[in-house]
Amino acid sequence: MRLRRTAAVAVIMVAATATAAGCGTKAEPPAASKSTPTASPSPTPPTSPTPPSSPSAGPSLTTTTKPRTSTGWEITVYYTAVEDYHDGTPTPVTGCPTLNCKNGTDNLGTYPADFVQAVQDEGTGRTSSGTYLNWSYDIGYWLDSVPRTSDGQSLSPFVSAAADPDVLPHGTRFTIAACGTQDDGSTPPSAVCAALKDASWEITDEFTPGLGGSRHIDAYIGPETGEHFTDSDWYITLTGARISIG
């Protein structure tokens, strides 16, 4: 089952106001469009930088914190919808022309109906003009220069993830240790599973209240890469996955 992930952007509003603004291998990780204003991700998910070593202060007892393993997770990918890959009845959208606004009524333009729906489902979409049409349950639609996380930062492919904050608090870091199966019981494509496992994830988003759950995570993989993206290996939900927290 796919759940709707939408950023809870109350944090963004505060910031804006304060500043006055294993099996098959055919899949490849989605690549960001050249028109994306933020840094384009590599097709291979980014790896975490090696933390600097602390200076030695003589003999000392070294302690290490072992990551906590948790099983039985459902993990669904989410992505930035791209207007150029959508069609349907032209649909007018009203909302906020800038971030520093809530439940606005300004005309934000007219977009294909299935693109508008994808923005609601995924929380963000890139328009043909290169701006972003974002949506949140507590803000409505708004135009922006980047797709946003709930902490007001831009979404980062193969890093940003969403969860119920009562289960995995904001800032929780984790990796996917095992992919489990797809929601239809089949084995996930090996290339997709490997890319998701190689990434270092961080909880920076939240679900719309009532749509999360005690064992559900959404993992952001960047903009969709073609008209039939939802038929690709990357449009996936994992069940029975195992994660390592910390």
Side-chain angles (χ1 to χ4, degrees), residues 6-234:
T6 55
V9 294
V11 174
I12 302 176
M13 290 297 298
V14 172
T17 303
T19 60
C23 49
T25 59
K26 67 176 182 178
E28 295 181 359
S33 168
K34 293 182 180 178
S35 63
T36 305
T38 54
S40 299
S42 168
T44 301
T47 56
S48 300
T50 303
S53 301
S54 300
S56 176
S60 60
L61 179 64
T62 300
T63 60
T64 59
T65 301
K66 185 177 181 179
R68 176 168 62 90
T69 298
S70 182
T71 60
W73 288 85
E74 182 177 71
I75 301 175
T76 301
V77 301
Y78 69 106
Y79 57 92
T80 295
V82 177
E83 182 184 3
D84 291 344
Y85 300 143
H86 292 265
D87 53 22
T89 304
T91 302
V93 174
T94 59
C96 296
T98 62
L99 179 60
N100 188 17
C101 170
K102 186 174 182 178
N103 297 320
T105 58
D106 291 75
N107 179 14
L108 303 184
T110 299
Y111 308 95
D114 63 341
F115 173 70
V116 176
Q117 184 61 58
V119 171
Q120 276 208 5
D121 290 343
E122 306 302 324
T124 179
R126 191 177 70 230
T127 71
S128 296
S129 66
T131 60
Y132 285 83
L133 179 66
N134 294 331
W135 186 88
S136 171
Y137 75 93
D138 57 351
I139 298 296
Y141 291 102
W142 80 94
L143 294 177
D144 209 326
S145 59
V146 295
R148 295 280 180 182
T149 67
S150 61
D151 64 356
Q153 303 301 311
S154 60
L155 284 165
S156 180
F158 294 94
V159 176
S160 301
D164 186 325
D166 292 333
V167 178
L168 293 178
H170 184 279
T172 299
R173 297 176 183 272
F174 70 94
T175 58
I176 298 173
C179 293
T181 64
Q182 297 189 77
D183 54 357
D184 63 0
S186 61
T187 302
S190 59
V192 173
C193 179
L196 295 174
K197 289 172 63 178
D198 285 347
S200 296
W201 302 95
E202 180 177 355
I203 301 298
T204 56
D205 257 346
E206 299 176 10
F207 289 108
T208 298
L211 295 184
S214 61
R215 282 289 191 275
H216 191 94
I217 293 171
D218 272 4
Y220 180 69
I221 59 173
E224 61 182 336
T225 54
E227 295 180 359
H228 304 292
F229 183 76
T230 57
D231 294 324
S232 74
D233 287 344
W234 281 99

